[in-house]
Amino acid sequence: MVEEACESVMNIGVEIQSNEGKNDECVELDIYPLSSYYFGYKDALLFKNYNLHHQLHKIKSNYAAHGLRTCVEAVILVELFKHPHLLLLQVRNSTFKLPGGRLRPGESDINGLKRKLTRNLSENEDGNGTEWEVSGCLGMWWRPDFETLLYPFLPPDVKQPKECTKLFLVKLPVSRKFIVPKNLRLLAVPLCQIQENDKTYGPIISGVPHLLSKFSFNIIQS
Amino acid sequence: MVEEACESVMNIGVEIQSNEGKNDECVELDIYPLSSYYFGYKDALLFKNYNLHHQLHKIKSNYAAHGLRTCVEAVILVELFKHPHLLLLQVRNSTFKLPGGRLRPGESDINGLKRKLTRNLSENEDGNGTEWEVSGCLGMWWRPDFETLLYPFLPPDVKQPKECTKLFLVKLPVSRKFIVPKNLRLLAVPLCQIQENDKTYGPIISGVPHLLSKFSFNIIQS
């Protein structure tokens, strides 16, 4: 394991002051820097390197066996230069993804997300995931058919959607080790760079600033 | 007053089953048709017909006098062909807007929104607005300067934003009269038409499907 700070990753904690009861105000989200954060690497994860044809075949056979495929992804915020940054993983220097992944059949959203976060961002793969505090669902994206288009709603007359991706806000504790597989890069990207940059980040990630727009960010200086 | 149904407006009620306490599930939003809805017209509202130069001048002098300008807007959903539709007002056959408007200095979000909804959608302008049930804040858009650009977050280093537009989910009661000024048209536009249609609807309206993406729509047949 290499004890290096991951490139471009900033050390921040997130704390939520929920005021769900108050209708008159939008929700406040405190973000504060935590320079005690630690970033390191662990062994590479095995990714199945399907081509598009095989991937589609696998998705179809999985659907036939288990029905709707559900993915859960984490929105984790850090602060840099007084602006919220989103933690993204980069695969093979190209694709950007939110930390998370596909649920096992019967697995709950929260348990599945914790398992994936531990796999992608923590040292101990066998942990019970208690170190991840998963907050509310921010949004859902639907794939009505075995095609590439995603919608932030279920289009009319779609009786059997094929995939649903749920985004959850994940609150970081004050102190945290991020241990990332060697073949992934952990990045902190400013919201203003992500916003409406569908071309680089895809529809789900480029839509995250919208999903966070109900929050007022309070940046707490340490 | 003309007792005609407003063109393209569908009669629907919205009821929210909040499950804020449950992290594992996204929030369900019941939408059901209510054919008892009534649509009519009232006298035209006076709109100040400034040109862009005068409008900018007015916004600047208002900012100097009262500081940050806050607008509150309502997201009101109706159902048609089993797909959620958003209620929009159309001004002079061109601009689309969400029902709502600018707060008076010192006015609360909720009170201001109720006042504007009554002005735009109800018979009695002098009512106390109790007929409007304003639910949570869905999102906020910021104008950092006296320019036209809007952001769903406060960009870094903006100390004195000039305008904030807050979007609130508004729940309709089972029975409702919509009485709309003659010079406005009330429209129900499907989410799938609004989605990513910034060119027609502008950034705020075209972003509404994102803001609603945490809801599962349950369409209740009457």
Side-chain angles (χ1 to χ4, degrees):
Chain A
M1 184 179 302
V2 185
E3 298 189 2
E4 266 178 27
C6 291
E7 196 177 350
S8 308
V9 175
M10 293 303 132
N11 314 328
I12 296 294
V14 176
E15 195 178 81
I16 302 217
Q17 291 183 333
S18 173
N19 51 0
E20 299 286 355
K22 293 189 227 164
N23 272 338
D24 215 25
E25 293 299 327
C26 289
V27 182
E28 293 197 351
L29 183 61
D30 286 349
I31 303 183
Y32 52 94
L34 290 172
S35 46
S36 59
Y37 272 169
Y38 170 91
F39 298 89
Y41 290 108
K42 61 182 177 181
D43 290 345
L45 281 183
L46 269 183
F47 288 111
K48 294 148 194 165
N49 207 353
Y50 296 120
N51 64 28
L52 271 181
H53 176 77
H54 279 110
Q55 205 169 357
L56 187 61
H57 177 76
K58 188 152 186 290
I59 288 174
K60 283 185 178 177
S61 66
N62 272 333
Y63 182 80
H66 306 296
L68 177 71
R69 171 193 175 107
T70 303
C71 295
V72 286
E73 301 187 345
V75 171
I76 306 176
L77 291 175
V78 300
E79 183 264 349
L80 176 61
F81 303 130
K82 303 197 174 179
H83 188 61
H85 285 51
L86 180 65
L87 289 192
L88 295 179
L89 290 166
Q90 197 179 20
V91 188
R92 296 187 200 91
N93 282 322
S94 60
T95 327
F96 295 97
K97 65 190 279 310
L98 290 166
R102 187 177 157 210
L103 292 185
R104 290 170 179 160
E107 192 177 32
S108 78
D109 295 348
I110 304 292
N111 287 346
L113 183 56
K114 286 178 173 178
R115 176 175 58 79
K116 287 291 185 179
L117 289 178
T118 299
R119 187 167 188 255
N120 288 334
L121 299 176
S122 288
E123 196 163 7
N124 179 13
E125 270 215 43
D126 306 321
N128 56 8
T130 50
E131 73 267 42
W132 298 107
E133 188 177 350
V134 180
S135 185
C137 177
L138 293 173
M140 295 186 282
W141 288 80
W142 297 89
R143 199 185 296 277
D145 221 311
F146 296 116
E147 288 158 17
T148 52
L149 281 178
L150 288 158
Y151 299 88
F153 47 81
L154 207 52
D157 300 322
V158 172
K159 298 275 175 282
Q160 300 189 310
K162 301 303 180 280
E163 189 177 314
C164 178
T165 298
K166 297 184 184 181
L167 276 63
F168 290 88
L169 187 65
V170 172
K171 297 192 262 182
L172 291 182
V174 170
S175 172
R176 149 86 53 218
K177 272 187 187 181
F178 285 98
I179 307 295
V180 183
K182 273 181 186 168
N183 52 342
L184 291 178
R185 284 171 74 207
L186 186 56
L187 306 166
V189 184
L191 288 190
C192 55
Q193 184 179 321
I194 288 168
Q195 165 69 2
E196 290 182 5
N197 198 343
D198 189 336
K199 213 170 165 180
T200 303
Y201 298 103
I204 293 181
I205 293 173
S206 69
V208 165
H210 285 85
L211 303 185
L212 293 172
S213 72
K214 73 170 178 177
F215 295 102
S216 292
F217 298 104
N218 286 333
I219 291 166
I220 314 287
Q221 297 301 330
S222 63
Chain B
M1 186 180 301
V2 185
E3 297 189 5
E4 268 177 27
C6 291
E7 196 178 349
S8 308
V9 175
M10 292 303 133
N11 312 331
I12 296 295
V14 176
E15 195 179 79
I16 302 218
Q17 290 182 334
S18 173
N19 52 359
E20 299 287 356
K22 295 190 228 162
N23 270 339
D24 215 24
E25 292 300 328
C26 288
V27 182
E28 292 197 352
L29 182 61
D30 286 349
I31 303 182
Y32 52 94
L34 289 172
S35 46
S36 59
Y37 273 169
Y38 170 92
F39 298 90
Y41 290 108
K42 62 182 177 181
D43 289 345
L45 281 181
L46 270 182
F47 288 113
K48 293 149 194 163
N49 206 353
Y50 296 120
N51 63 29
L52 271 180
H53 177 78
H54 280 110
Q55 206 169 357
L56 187 61
H57 177 78
K58 190 156 184 285
I59 287 174
K60 283 185 176 175
S61 66
N62 272 333
Y63 182 80
H66 306 296
L68 177 72
R69 171 194 176 106
T70 304
C71 294
V72 287
E73 302 187 345
V75 171
I76 306 176
L77 291 174
V78 300
E79 182 265 350
L80 176 60
F81 304 130
K82 304 195 175 182
H83 189 60
H85 285 52
L86 181 64
L87 289 192
L88 295 179
L89 290 166
Q90 196 180 23
V91 187
R92 296 189 200 88
N93 283 322
S94 58
T95 327
F96 295 96
K97 66 191 281 305
L98 290 166
R102 186 178 156 209
L103 293 185
R104 291 171 179 159
E107 192 177 32
S108 79
D109 295 348
I110 305 291
N111 287 345
L113 183 56
K114 286 179 173 179
R115 177 175 58 80
K116 288 292 186 180
L117 290 178
T118 299
R119 187 167 187 255
N120 289 334
L121 299 176
S122 289
E123 196 163 6
N124 179 13
E125 270 215 42
D126 305 323
N128 55 9
T130 50
E131 72 268 43
W132 299 107
E133 189 178 349
V134 181
S135 185
C137 178
L138 293 172
M140 294 186 282
W141 288 80
W142 297 89
R143 197 185 298 276
D145 221 310
F146 295 116
E147 287 159 18
T148 52
L149 282 178
L150 288 157
Y151 299 88
F153 48 80
L154 207 51
D157 299 323
V158 172
K159 298 277 175 284
Q160 300 189 309
K162 301 304 181 280
E163 189 176 313
C164 177
T165 298
K166 297 184 185 180
L167 276 63
F168 290 88
L169 187 64
V170 171
K171 298 193 260 181
L172 291 182
V174 170
S175 171
R176 148 85 54 219
K177 274 189 187 179
F178 285 98
I179 307 294
V180 182
K182 273 180 185 168
N183 52 341
L184 291 178
R185 284 171 74 206
L186 187 56
L187 305 166
V189 185
L191 289 189
C192 55
Q193 184 179 319
I194 288 168
Q195 165 68 3
E196 291 184 4
N197 199 342
D198 190 335
K199 213 171 166 181
T200 303
Y201 298 104
I204 293 181
I205 293 172
S206 69
V208 165
H210 286 84
L211 302 184
L212 293 171
S213 72
K214 72 170 178 176
F215 296 101
S216 293
F217 297 105
N218 287 332
I219 292 166
I220 314 287
Q221 297 299 330
S222 64

